[in-house]
Amino acid sequence: YLYVGSGIGDIKKVEDSHIRNYLKNNNIPYKKILVVADSLPRLMTFLPRALDNWHIMVDEIDSYQTDGVYRPALELVIDYFCQKFPERNRCLVSATVRPFSDPRLANLPVIDVRYEQLIRRPIKMLRVNNIPKAVAVRLQAILRECPDDKIVVAYNKIASIRIIIDLLPEKLRDRCEIWCSSQSEQQAGAYYPEHIGTHLTKQITFLTCTHFTGVDIEDRYHLISVSDTQQLYTLLSPEKLLQIAGRCRHRDGLLSELFIYDIQSKKKVWGGSFDKQHNIACAEWIIQCLGMLNKGVENFNDVIQGNVVRAVASQVSEWRVTYGGSTPIVLVRYDIDKKLAVSYLNIDALDEFVRLRSRLYTHPGAIIKAMQTD
């Protein structure tokens, strides 16, 4: 197979010449390319225009519905999936599928594979008021009891991870590492690893969402997953917790699993309801507004200054919405054809945030019940 993406461990970023040579190599009759979402647009420039002999499989599709907020390339993957590949040459895969607001995906046929016997994992749950302090305390407690064991902390907020590390004794800070995207290397600072492989190179490893799915860790370790109600991207659903636990590929499984979370008072939570269709209609209206503005530039440039209209259009396209204190996000985006389109993944992310924040994280019993059910 050929890997196309950023460098990982001993694997270097593939050069254009390697892609061309792989595709031309007649000694490999059945070609398989493993491609990172951000690198798919690059790969598509090398594939033939007719893709009847190619099949695209998008793995962990549920993560696209949450991570698309800060990874715009994920929606481009959906564009390529729907617009470039034949209907019978494509599929989406996930262990935890949620409904899609994108009509191109909402009505896809589903093959549901069920386990004959569900495997339940023992999870300890800890509700706290001060997440960084609680995590730092638990890390020290585990290492006092098991000084040679490794620990993984799944927390999608580097600023808070740095606070946790600062709360640890100095002798433990040198044992820490932050696995995050290369775009966050500056935030991680000295804790950013030289390379990331299938083994933990430090005793305490912090994972951000870049590594919540798709990364295999062959060591046994204690897992601490952290759900923080302060941000859209730091809330964890029961499905996401399952994905995180699945990173451990050791045959004997995790040493232990702890879930640390906080609760947002109902008084502080936005009390309305989230209407997907209403937000989709708003996005379509924004696209219509921008279309009228662009038409004005084309037809009335002799009357009004085009640069003024373009400035207004730029502002309109960046209009952001928020619900219940969520991260402000845009409702529209530019697709692979550079045309404005509804940002369905962002709308799905808002829907998920409202569900978690207003239902599962306003009362201690709600998240416990959800974990027992799922």
Side-chain angles (χ1 to χ4, degrees):
Y1 66 88
L2 176 71
Y3 167 76
V4 179
S6 301
I8 300 178
D10 297 329
I11 302 175
K12 297 181 179 179
K13 181 179 178 179
V14 67
E15 300 294 334
D16 290 354
S17 58
H18 294 158
I19 299 176
R20 291 192 191 95
N21 292 337
Y22 180 80
L23 293 174
K24 292 178 181 178
N25 190 339
N26 294 325
N27 293 324
I28 307 175
Y30 301 103
K31 295 178 173 63
K32 175 188 279 189
I33 301 176
L34 307 182
V35 58
V36 178
D38 301 74
S39 297
L40 182 60
R42 176 186 173 210
L43 174 63
M44 293 298 295
T45 64
F46 296 98
L47 296 182
R49 184 165 295 181
L51 295 168
D52 293 339
N53 292 326
W54 286 87
H55 186 285
I56 184 171
M57 185 190 80
V58 184
D59 198 11
E60 309 291 7
I61 188 60
D62 63 294
S63 66
Y64 282 51
Q65 293 174 282
T66 52
D67 299 355
V69 171
Y70 44 88
R71 289 185 66 191
L74 298 183
E75 293 219 71
L76 298 181
V77 173
I78 303 302
D79 290 340
Y80 286 116
F81 178 89
C82 295
Q83 296 172 218
K84 301 298 182 180
F85 287 85
E87 186 175 353
R88 296 186 66 85
N89 292 33
R90 63 194 191 199
C91 69
L92 309 172
V93 179
S94 174
T96 51
V97 178
R98 297 198 312 276
F100 293 97
S101 58
D102 190 333
R104 299 176 299 176
L105 305 179
N107 297 316
L108 289 178
V110 177
I111 298 175
D112 191 6
V113 180
R114 297 180 179 273
Y115 287 103
E116 292 182 0
Q117 183 176 358
L118 290 175
I119 300 174
R120 295 196 174 274
R121 357 188 272 285
I123 304 174
K124 292 183 179 179
M125 301 178 65
L126 181 63
R127 177 196 170 193
V128 301
N129 294 321
N130 186 329
I131 285 178
K133 182 179 179 180
V135 175
V137 168
R138 294 303 301 177
L139 286 172
Q140 294 174 77
I142 292 172
L143 291 179
R144 279 196 300 269
E145 186 175 343
C146 311
D148 298 323
D149 288 356
K150 293 183 177 181
I151 307 172
V152 168
V153 180
Y155 192 5
N156 194 32
K157 192 174 182 182
I158 296 179
S160 295
I161 291 174
R162 294 297 301 266
I163 292 173
I164 293 169
I165 294 174
D166 288 342
L167 290 172
L168 295 174
E170 191 170 347
K171 64 180 181 179
L172 292 183
R173 295 175 199 168
D174 292 336
R175 306 184 202 174
C176 294
E177 200 165 62
I178 300 176
W179 287 15
C180 57
S181 68
S182 56
Q183 288 87 351
S184 301
E185 180 178 353
Q186 189 173 358
Q187 285 181 277
Y191 300 105
Y192 187 78
E194 292 184 7
H195 69 274
I196 296 173
T198 59
H199 288 281
L200 302 170
T201 54
K202 294 282 188 175
Q203 189 168 23
I204 304 172
T205 304
F206 293 87
L207 303 185
T208 64
C209 74
T210 306
H211 303 284
F212 283 3
T213 56
V215 173
D216 295 342
I217 302 175
E218 297 178 17
D219 303 302
R220 289 196 82 190
Y221 53 85
H222 300 273
L223 173 63
I224 301 176
S225 299
V226 180
S227 188
D228 186 343
T229 59
Q230 297 304 311
Q231 301 289 342
L232 182 153
Y233 51 83
T234 53
L235 272 176
L236 298 179
S237 65
E239 296 86 0
K240 185 66 74 175
L241 288 167
L242 175 62
Q243 296 278 8
I244 293 170
R247 296 311 97 221
C248 179
R249 299 295 183 172
H250 193 281
R251 63 181 183 181
D252 296 323
L254 296 167
L255 292 169
S256 69
E257 184 174 357
L258 173 65
F259 177 40
I260 293 180
Y261 65 100
D262 63 353
I263 291 295
Q264 191 69 258
S265 168
K266 284 188 177 182
K267 295 179 181 179
K268 295 181 181 180
V269 175
W270 168 75
S273 60
F274 179 79
D275 188 333
K276 274 190 178 184
Q277 294 306 316
H278 186 62
N279 279 263
I280 292 171
C282 181
E284 293 170 343
W285 172 75
I286 291 174
I287 294 172
Q288 290 175 359
C289 288
L290 289 168
M292 292 297 293
L293 288 170
N294 290 326
K295 186 176 181 180
V297 173
E298 295 172 5
N299 297 333
F300 308 114
N301 196 42
D302 58 329
V303 181
I304 53 178
Q305 294 183 353
N307 60 338
V308 174
V309 179
R310 291 188 187 93
V312 174
S314 178
Q315 278 192 323
V316 173
S317 65
E318 286 296 315
W319 278 346
R320 295 175 180 269
V321 298
T322 180
Y323 284 87
S326 72
T327 305
I329 65 171
V330 294
L331 293 178
V332 298
R333 66 183 179 91
Y334 286 95
D335 64 14
I336 56 175
D337 298 319
K338 308 300 181 185
K339 295 180 180 179
L340 275 172
V342 178
S343 182
Y344 289 109
L345 291 186
N346 277 2
I347 292 172
D348 284 345
L350 278 174
D351 184 49
E352 174 75 349
F353 176 81
V354 171
R355 179 181 76 89
L356 295 176
R357 185 85 176 268
S358 63
R359 298 180 188 176
L360 298 191
Y361 287 99
T362 55
H363 187 276
I367 184 62
I368 293 173
K369 184 178 179 181
M371 293 288 290
Q372 291 173 334
T373 302
D374 293 354

